[in-house]
Amino acid sequence: MNGRPADERSGTRRDASADSLLAALTAAEGVEQDLIGALHRTLSVDEENSLRRADAIRAAAMGLDTAACASAAGVPESLLLSWRAGDPSFDAALSAATAMARAHHLEQNVTSNPAALRVVLAALRDGMTIVEAGALVGMTRDAFYHLRRADSRLHGLIAAARALGRRKERLPKRRMPASRRRSDAFKGYRLVRLEPPPRSEPGES
């Protein structure tokens, strides 16, 4: 019989479950690139951007706002806005998805919306602070800490995501072989940092 208290034992199981869920979310983010790799080819820039636009539209359909949609797509918010300005069909699709979410009363709430929770966990996992991750879904720091205290399951997920973020920051930087840089570029783009897009690449708009 295990001599540890029941609550400690359940906490250990909960942490393991949180780690497993985060691993599944991380693996799911790269599935399109893995499928393309299975076809023995790489994504073009247009194809990568199309996948990101689709991710943004899905996030909008789940009730997320512009900043959260950009985060879900793994792009800076400024780039998402430039896509809307330069691509009427994408702008119309995003607007329609947002209208659908409102019609079905979907709210950008981490406690009830899995898409919002995914954005927060991904941001924490990629090294953002609690303040930065919360801001992506409109949460203040106080609201974030209250959420952690009120729900032990969410607390476990948030703690696991933050631990992954800290672990990544401590890893030594290694030079990637040239043959892998192109295939890993799409996955690396999901490290969400709210920075303006390079001015030298107007073709992405």
Side-chain angles (χ1 to χ4, degrees):
M1 182 175 177
N2 195 323
R4 291 186 301 165
D7 58 346
E8 185 179 342
R9 293 198 302 273
S10 65
T12 301
R13 286 197 299 270
R14 185 165 58 247
D15 290 342
S17 175
D19 289 338
S20 177
L21 178 54
L22 285 171
L25 290 174
T26 300
E29 289 176 356
V31 68
E32 292 94 349
Q33 179 69 21
D34 293 336
L35 289 171
I36 292 295
L39 299 175
H40 306 292
R41 55 183 293 265
T42 57
L43 288 171
S44 68
V45 172
D46 286 343
E47 287 172 324
E48 290 179 4
N49 289 342
S50 292
L51 289 175
R52 294 184 187 123
R53 288 185 177 99
D55 286 339
I57 292 169
R58 182 183 185 280
M62 289 295 294
L64 304 191
D65 66 13
T66 302
C69 286
S71 181
V75 300
E77 184 178 358
S78 56
L79 180 54
L80 183 66
L81 292 173
S82 74
W83 283 344
R84 297 196 72 169
D87 185 340
S89 61
F90 172 64
D91 182 59
L94 204 61
S95 296
T98 298
M100 183 178 72
R102 289 174 179 165
H104 291 278
H105 309 292
L106 292 177
E107 297 181 355
Q108 186 171 270
N109 188 328
V110 171
T111 61
S112 61
N113 190 329
L117 179 58
R118 179 194 288 261
V119 165
V120 167
L121 293 177
L124 292 173
R125 179 206 62 197
D126 290 337
M128 279 195 179
T129 66
I130 280 181
V131 173
E132 292 169 331
L136 290 173
V137 293
M139 288 185 67
T140 65
R141 181 175 59 180
D142 289 345
F144 208 114
Y145 281 112
H146 175 74
L147 174 65
R148 292 178 62 192
R149 291 192 298 269
D151 192 316
S152 59
R153 294 166 300 178
L154 288 178
H155 175 80
L157 284 170
I158 291 167
R162 293 188 71 197
L164 278 176
R166 289 191 293 267
R167 195 177 307 155
K168 283 186 176 181
E169 289 179 352
R170 290 195 299 267
L171 288 175
K173 304 296 183 182
R174 295 185 298 175
R175 287 188 60 82
M176 186 183 301
S179 61
R180 289 188 55 197
R181 288 174 194 160
R182 181 64 183 83
S183 63
D184 284 357
F186 179 54
K187 294 180 183 179
Y189 202 70
R190 286 191 171 275
L191 297 180
V192 180
R193 300 291 184 186
L194 301 183
E195 298 173 353
R199 295 182 179 276
S200 59
E201 300 179 1
E204 286 194 353
S205 299

